[in-house]
Amino acid sequence: MDELLSIVWWNTSLSPPVVSKRNLATDQKRTQVAKVIKILMKSKYDFICLGEVSLEDIVFVSKYLNLFSSEYNSALGAQQQGRLYFDTAILYRKEHSLVSPGNGYDCLYTTISVGSRNLKLFERYEFFHHNYDKLLTFYLSHWPSQLRNNTLNTNTISSRLRGEVERDLNEQKHIIMMGDYNVEPYSDEMVHNLQSSRDQAIVLKKPNVFYNPCWKFLPIGQSQKIKGTYYYSSGNFHTWSVIDQILVSSSFLKNEWKFNDRFTSIIDVELLLDGEDEVYNPSDHWPLSTLINRINNNVEH
């Protein structure tokens, strides 16, 4: 009998991690984001990972959802560290257990220095799955926007991130990387620096390579309503991009785990909200979800 590990990543666009844009979302926009999350919770996703949120956003959304009385807890990564704003949070089913990193927070924050600047590297969360005896390790990232010509920064961040992830790979941990990378699956940052592949056979042969199922969204089909995870109307050459991605370590492709590409999808928020009073996506990003099958060999017959 199979079990499912279900995960969503969504850049909500509520609070971009800069002081001039943080905590400026209207209550209407926060409410619309909460409505989307409420439907995802009804679908019983194990982990709902959010980007571009502030602590105040999560407090508002939690009250709207009555999170305390729900089947979910929250892990908060939306904190200011020095002059940097980290902007993620995870809503997770209470049957799973958050593992404290021992720093007084829900996740591990890591930064790097590049000349006179400090850059965010990642927020690292760990959980015990309710029916699995190993840790699930999540690396959530929000890389600088290419609209401001940050190629050098993303190249440095991706290379350093890979170095950090190597430690967990050497311990054979089950790792999921996700976020708004602001580059597409074929970029050097994703392929060469993070060492990710679109080919499951290569990942199985080279277990330190990550599998990236988001290649399947390229080329972008013109017949599709949603043609990527991010829409930018002023793009010079195209308006849709696949910059939100989920990558999994090779451990999710073998033994008791089975990864099927068809269970990775971009969620149509407007379809999700069909029947609500207001049907629109409050973000310029679209949620990305994945399901990973696990064979449960402990079922009694």
Side-chain angles (χ1 to χ4, degrees):
M1 182 177 179
D2 286 4
E3 296 178 343
L4 287 175
L5 173 62
S6 52
I7 301 163
V8 170
W9 160 261
W10 187 27
N11 181 333
T12 65
S13 300
L14 285 175
S15 288
V18 292
V19 66
S20 62
K21 296 182 179 180
R22 200 164 177 83
N23 287 327
L24 296 182
T26 64
D27 285 354
Q28 180 184 10
K29 183 172 182 177
R30 284 171 165 170
T31 298
Q32 191 73 352
V33 166
K35 287 180 179 179
V36 174
I37 295 172
K38 184 176 182 179
I39 297 172
L40 296 174
M41 289 167 59
K42 286 183 178 179
S43 298
K44 299 186 181 299
Y45 279 95
D46 290 291
F47 300 95
I48 302 171
C49 305
L50 306 173
E52 288 201 4
V53 292
S54 67
L55 181 59
E56 291 80 2
D57 293 329
I58 295 301
V59 168
F60 181 98
V61 169
S62 297
K63 288 181 178 178
Y64 181 92
L65 297 172
N66 194 14
L67 196 68
F68 181 78
S69 300
S70 75
E71 297 178 350
Y72 284 81
N73 281 326
S74 61
L76 301 177
Q79 300 281 349
Q80 182 176 359
Q81 298 286 312
R83 298 177 63 183
L84 296 175
Y85 290 101
F86 288 85
D87 63 318
T88 71
I90 299 179
L91 306 186
Y92 62 97
R93 290 178 59 83
K94 289 179 178 176
E95 58 201 38
H96 310 308
S97 301
L98 175 69
V99 179
S100 171
N103 59 358
Y105 297 102
D106 291 341
C107 66
L108 179 66
Y109 302 94
T110 302
T111 63
I112 56 173
S113 296
V114 179
S116 60
R117 294 190 59 190
N118 289 328
L119 299 173
K120 296 183 300 179
L121 197 55
F122 60 78
E123 288 143 88
R124 178 178 175 274
Y125 301 80
E126 287 198 308
F127 298 89
F128 270 114
H129 188 277
H130 76 105
N131 198 25
Y132 191 57
D133 60 358
K134 290 188 178 180
L135 287 173
L136 299 178
T137 303
F138 292 81
Y139 283 85
L140 270 56
S141 297
H142 188 182
W143 292 359
S145 171
Q146 297 300 302
L147 296 176
R148 292 185 289 275
N149 192 25
N150 277 303
T151 303
L152 181 60
N153 289 337
T154 55
N155 184 64
T156 301
I157 290 170
S158 55
S159 297
R160 291 288 297 273
L161 173 56
R162 174 66 197 193
E164 294 287 336
V165 171
E166 287 277 359
R167 301 175 188 178
D168 285 330
L169 285 173
N170 291 336
E171 295 181 16
Q172 299 183 336
K173 289 189 176 182
H174 288 62
I175 304 166
I176 300 169
M177 290 194 287
M178 72 186 89
D180 174 3
Y181 294 101
N182 272 303
V183 294
E184 303 216 52
Y186 52 78
S187 72
D188 283 344
E189 290 91 341
M190 301 302 296
V191 176
H192 298 292
N193 295 358
L194 285 189
Q195 298 184 34
S196 68
S197 173
R198 61 180 173 176
D199 189 334
Q200 285 199 24
I202 287 190
V203 176
L204 288 169
K205 289 180 182 178
K206 301 177 179 179
N208 276 7
V209 174
F210 280 80
Y211 181 62
N212 187 350
C214 297
W215 276 85
K216 76 171 191 171
F217 301 123
L218 303 170
I220 296 167
Q222 294 303 310
S223 62
Q224 299 170 249
K225 172 188 171 185
I226 300 173
K227 303 177 178 67
T229 65
Y230 173 68
Y231 180 78
Y232 180 58
S233 60
S234 300
N236 288 330
F237 302 105
H238 52 266
T239 54
W240 285 94
S241 301
V242 181
I243 58 177
D244 300 272
Q245 298 168 58
I246 297 175
L247 289 70
V248 299
S249 60
S250 62
S251 52
F252 288 107
L253 275 62
K254 57 189 176 183
N255 300 326
E256 71 268 44
W257 294 96
K258 296 186 298 182
F259 194 98
N260 191 323
D261 281 12
R262 69 188 180 93
F263 295 137
T264 300
S265 60
I266 300 170
I267 298 174
D268 185 341
V269 170
E270 294 176 358
L271 183 62
L272 204 67
L273 290 169
D274 187 32
E276 294 284 337
D277 294 335
E278 296 180 286
V279 179
Y280 68 92
N281 184 1
S283 174
D284 50 3
H285 292 254
W286 299 77
L288 182 65
S289 72
T290 194
L291 306 176
I292 309 174
N293 285 68
R294 178 174 173 265
I295 301 172
N296 184 359
N297 293 317
N298 298 320
V299 177
E300 295 182 3
H301 298 280

